[in-house]
């Protein structure tokens, strides 16, 4: 079996190194092999979601989904890229963005009213920020 290059990015690269040559057939098998070689890698990956982090996986240049992680691939490079989780589906964040856009539109329609437009821009920025920020996890020790 031909060796595949496992290319870690971001915080994974900083903690564990950038390139690994492994005899694996899938992205899942690659992460398992890395976990066997570096127990701290396995621990990091297990704790990552609690810290607001998920991972995008690319085989060569194709982004694959969770349902494709087990698939055997002929790709020569498997990329594992950390991505920060936002509140994502937070309805209030999206509502703020939409309400802000409506206020900007109404402000522009009403003769470029700076008060309405400023309030709309503020709502849009606040909504976007809430969508991008990870949702804090509260433990019972506080």
């Amino acid at each position: 079996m031909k060796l595949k290059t496992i290319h870690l990015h971001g915080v994974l690269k900083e903690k564990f190194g950038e390139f690994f040559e492994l005899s694996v057939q899938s992205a899942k098998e690659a992460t398992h092999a890395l976990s066997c070689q570096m127990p701290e890698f396995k621990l990091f990956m297990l704790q990552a979601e609690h810290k607001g982090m998920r991972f995008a996986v690319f085989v060569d240049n194709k982004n694959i989904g969770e349902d494709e992680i087990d698939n055997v691939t002929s790709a020569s490079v498997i990329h594992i890229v950390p991505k920060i989780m936002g509140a994502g589906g937070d309805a209030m964040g999206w509502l703020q963005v939409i309400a802000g856009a409506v206020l900007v539109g109404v402000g522009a329609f009403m003769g470029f009213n700076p008060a309405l437009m400023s309030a709309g821009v503020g709502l849009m920025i606040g909504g976007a920020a809430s969508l991008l920020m990870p949702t804090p996890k509260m433990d019972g020790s506080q």
Side-chain angles (χ1 to χ4, degrees), residues 74-88:
S74 62
S76 59
V77 181
I78 297 173
H79 298 269
I80 303 174
V81 183
K83 59 182 186 174
I84 303 299
M85 289 190 309

Side-chain angles (χ1 to χ4, degrees), residues 44 46-55 82-87 132-137:
F44 181 86
L46 289 171
Q47 294 176 345
E49 189 166 0
H50 298 295
K51 294 179 180 179
M53 187 179 303
R54 300 209 52 187
F55 301 92
K83 59 182 186 174
I84 303 299
M85 289 190 309
L132 294 173
M133 289 293 158
T135 304
K137 303 280 190 229

